[in-house]
Amino acid sequence: HIVDIIKIGENMLLCLVQDFNKKQSKEEYKKTQQTLGRLFAGIGAILLIVSLVLPMKEFASGFLMGVGAGLIILGVASFIKVRNEKTLTYHYVATYDERNKKIRSCVAQVTVGALLVFITILVILYAFWSIQLSYMMTLIVLLYGVIICLAVSKYILSKLL
């Protein structure tokens, strides 16, 4: 039974990846962006409400507020992409443009490489100098390292390619 469950999950994941990589029509792209917009804005609003209503540590509340606000911004951006025919066409073409696909692929590869370098540096710091960061500090370093790497590599690669 376990093998069957794994195969079902594998097939579902494969179908999802194939559908994700499939080029959509402009109308499907618009519907997808609107759905993502609703999803992001809805989850963001829930997170904001939870951060304000439930008693929790200041850090957790601030974290939920930040993620909630970010998701709401992403949701609004998804709606702005498709609000009129001109912006819809611009973003649709940009999504499936070969140059942009190559840039996204390279940015992902560079980011994964940078993440491995960050983790290796943290291990070396501990192994040779017994410098140990707290769990939260490690997560923050990795998170901001990835965000900065994404932004910088996308900027550089968009200029080079």
Side-chain angles (χ1 to χ4, degrees):
H1 292 295
I2 300 271
V3 174
D4 292 335
I5 293 172
I6 291 172
K7 285 184 179 182
I8 290 170
E10 183 181 331
N11 286 336
M12 289 173 60
L13 186 60
L14 185 60
C15 289
L16 177 67
V17 169
Q18 287 173 343
D19 286 346
F20 186 71
N21 288 329
K22 180 181 76 169
K23 184 173 181 177
Q24 298 178 319
S25 69
K26 194 189 263 190
E27 194 56 39
E28 290 173 327
Y29 177 79
K30 182 177 182 176
K31 285 181 183 177
T32 300
Q33 289 300 312
Q34 289 172 334
T35 302
L36 286 174
R38 284 186 204 97
L39 183 68
F40 290 157
I43 292 171
I46 290 169
L47 291 178
L48 279 176
I49 291 168
V50 166
S51 72
L52 296 172
V53 173
L54 294 180
M56 59 183 77
K57 293 181 183 178
E58 187 177 327
F59 180 83
S61 177
F63 176 76
L64 288 180
M65 277 185 181
V67 171
L71 285 173
I72 290 172
I73 290 168
L74 285 175
V76 170
S78 290
F79 280 109
I80 289 173
K81 284 182 180 181
V82 297
R83 72 172 179 227
N84 61 44
E85 193 62 32
K86 185 178 177 183
T87 57
L88 171 62
T89 301
Y90 173 80
H91 289 288
Y92 178 77
V93 169
T95 297
Y96 295 108
D97 177 57
E98 288 301 319
R99 178 180 174 270
N100 288 338
K101 284 178 160 180
K102 179 72 172 168
I103 290 171
R104 284 193 301 269
S105 174
C106 289
V107 167
Q109 291 173 7
V110 167
T111 303
V112 168
L115 189 56
L116 291 173
V117 168
F118 292 144
I119 292 170
T120 303
I121 289 171
L122 292 173
V123 170
I124 290 170
L125 286 173
Y126 180 73
F128 293 104
W129 296 285
S130 297
I131 297 174
Q132 183 177 2
L133 300 178
S134 69
Y135 180 70
M136 185 53 65
M137 185 56 67
T138 303
L139 292 177
I140 290 171
V141 166
L142 292 175
L143 176 65
Y144 282 108
V146 167
I147 291 171
I148 291 168
C149 182
L150 280 170
V152 170
S153 63
K154 181 166 183 169
Y155 176 77
I156 291 171
L157 288 171
S158 66
K159 296 295 180 188
L160 293 176
L161 299 179

